[in-house]
Amino acid sequence: MNRGNRFAVFFSNLFNTAGITDARLQLFCRFVIATLTAANIGGILDAVLTPLNTAYLNYFGDSKEKTVNKAIKESSTAGLNTVVKKFADAVRQKHHLIASIYPEGSMEYIEFFPSGLSAFGHLTRGTILEVANQFSVTAEKYKAALGGVPFAAIFSGYNTSIIAALGIQTDKKGKAKTINSEVITMRAPVEDALMAVMFKIGSLYGPNWDKCMSFFDFSLLNAAHHTKGTTASGSLTLLGKSNCLEVPILNTTIFLLKNPNIVPLYYYLSSVKNGVMVGIEIEIKPNTNYVAPYNEFGTTAGLFLNVKNKTDYTVNWEIHID
């Protein structure tokens, strides 16, 4: 390797690798931001701390929405699936009526069921629009013998609903795809800001490499990180609250707080199990995972982590600590 190549490798982006997931990078960033903030006496680290904070908020603020957008896509798909199922059920319910007037094998029957009745049990996003439209047109054509306008209206209604549901799903998929593309683009500034921090710390404190390394915990980027520590989970009924861990926590603890529900969850610290809140509570948005260091709870008196449900729903919660 020539000197130019060695120089390029030395200054290359260490964080641009598929092995470093968003969750690990977020955890690493929060550690770095905390150590920089603590050492930023007189603003000596402002030049790298401010860009890192900005890049972190721009990227991970939006990345929290990725799970929400996934939920939007899934809910729109569920909406389409519901309409398609109702349409197929309506076809099966009217099959006996149609077959009693237009026997199986007749021209009219084939117009209704060109691939047989069983085809309505295997409808897909790619076929449903054509099938629903064809059935609606046929129902209108033969409505006089099958119950008149009310019969035809059933299937014209489903045809309209399916068109609308497909439109909603397509719109949501496009929206989520756009947002995810933007988020991927926005990760680069986070990685660049972290590299700038590393060079700044090296220039300030090298060759005291132990002090330099104290600003970073590279083990947080390793895949094995997620197999260590403690995981706890549970559920809460309406307006319920619960202690999350049986053992006291340390003021160096970093929490992964999870909310798999459609409503917010609230985590807070107390000085005793299931005690009153000390410091501040952290709201976790629906369908979101959030990394929070101990100091984000705004207290040094908290020994136990608690979770609260402020809604009438039964909710699930999960946390992980290292």
Side-chain angles (χ1 to χ4, degrees):
M1 182 183 293
N2 63 40
R3 291 182 180 180
N5 287 342
R6 287 200 298 268
F7 190 81
V9 170
F10 180 77
F11 285 99
S12 64
N13 186 343
L14 302 180
F15 305 99
N16 183 20
T17 171
I20 299 178
T21 64
D22 276 359
R24 296 183 197 122
L25 187 65
Q26 185 185 19
L27 192 60
F28 182 78
C29 280
R30 295 192 70 81
F31 183 92
V32 173
I33 289 170
T35 57
L36 291 177
T37 301
N40 193 28
I41 309 301
I44 60 171
L45 296 171
D46 279 351
V48 290
L49 178 56
T50 300
L52 179 58
N53 260 319
T54 300
Y56 173 88
L57 291 173
N58 285 342
Y59 181 66
F60 288 106
D62 285 346
S63 71
K64 291 176 191 175
E65 300 301 323
K66 286 192 285 189
T67 50
V68 175
N69 290 322
K70 179 182 178 183
I72 289 173
K73 283 203 300 185
E74 289 174 348
S75 67
S76 64
T77 302
L80 174 62
N81 290 343
T82 298
V83 176
V84 171
K85 183 179 184 304
K86 289 182 177 180
F87 165 70
D89 288 344
V91 170
R92 294 187 189 96
Q93 289 170 4
K94 297 299 182 183
H95 175 261
H96 179 72
L97 171 63
I98 296 169
S100 68
I101 297 175
Y102 303 115
E104 188 170 349
S106 66
M107 179 190 70
E108 296 86 353
Y109 181 93
I110 293 173
E111 284 188 61
F112 277 106
F113 306 104
S115 300
L117 179 61
S118 61
F120 289 84
H122 306 285
L123 297 170
T124 68
R125 189 177 187 274
T127 62
I128 182 58
L129 192 59
E130 179 181 354
V131 172
N133 181 70
Q134 168 265 322
F135 203 93
S136 175
V137 170
T138 307
E140 176 66 26
K141 180 178 179 181
Y142 296 110
K143 66 182 179 183
L146 296 167
V149 172
F151 177 85
I154 293 172
F155 298 103
S156 65
Y158 279 119
N159 188 43
T160 300
S161 296
I162 288 167
I163 291 171
L166 277 167
I168 291 171
Q169 188 190 54
T170 301
D171 175 67
K172 297 303 182 186
K173 283 190 172 183
K175 175 183 177 183
K177 182 178 180 181
T178 300
I179 290 175
N180 289 343
S181 298
E182 290 171 354
V183 166
I184 290 169
T185 303
M186 287 163 55
R187 175 163 159 166
V190 178
E191 297 169 357
D192 292 343
L194 285 170
M195 291 297 294
V197 169
M198 291 178 63
F199 292 126
K200 179 66 174 180
I201 295 301
S203 69
L204 284 177
Y205 302 112
N208 185 350
W209 307 123
D210 287 339
K211 182 174 180 63
C212 290
M213 289 302 295
S214 71
F215 285 85
F216 311 95
D217 183 354
F218 289 98
S219 69
L220 298 176
L221 299 174
N222 298 332
H225 165 72
H226 291 279
T227 65
K228 302 175 182 177
T230 300
T231 298
S233 61
S235 61
L236 296 172
T237 55
L238 68 164
L239 305 179
K241 63 180 181 179
S242 174
N243 176 58
C244 297
L245 297 164
E246 291 298 314
V247 296
I249 56 179
L250 304 174
N251 60 10
T252 55
T253 301
I254 297 177
F255 304 90
L256 175 60
L257 308 175
K258 299 185 177 184
N259 179 8
N261 309 283
I262 61 173
V263 295
L265 281 180
Y266 300 85
Y267 290 88
Y268 64 94
L269 300 183
S270 62
S271 56
V272 296
K273 288 182 184 178
N274 295 308
V276 298
M277 182 179 70
V278 292
I280 62 175
E281 66 182 11
I282 296 179
E283 177 186 351
I284 309 300
K285 301 294 186 183
N287 297 295
T288 297
N289 297 339
Y290 185 71
V291 179
Y294 177 92
N295 60 12
E296 189 160 334
F297 288 95
T299 180
T300 58
L303 294 176
F304 295 93
L305 179 67
N306 303 274
V307 60
K308 181 188 297 183
N309 174 19
K310 295 185 179 182
T311 73
D312 293 334
Y313 293 89
T314 295
V315 298
N316 298 313
W317 60 268
E318 182 179 333
I319 63 102
H320 180 89
I321 66 169
D322 298 301

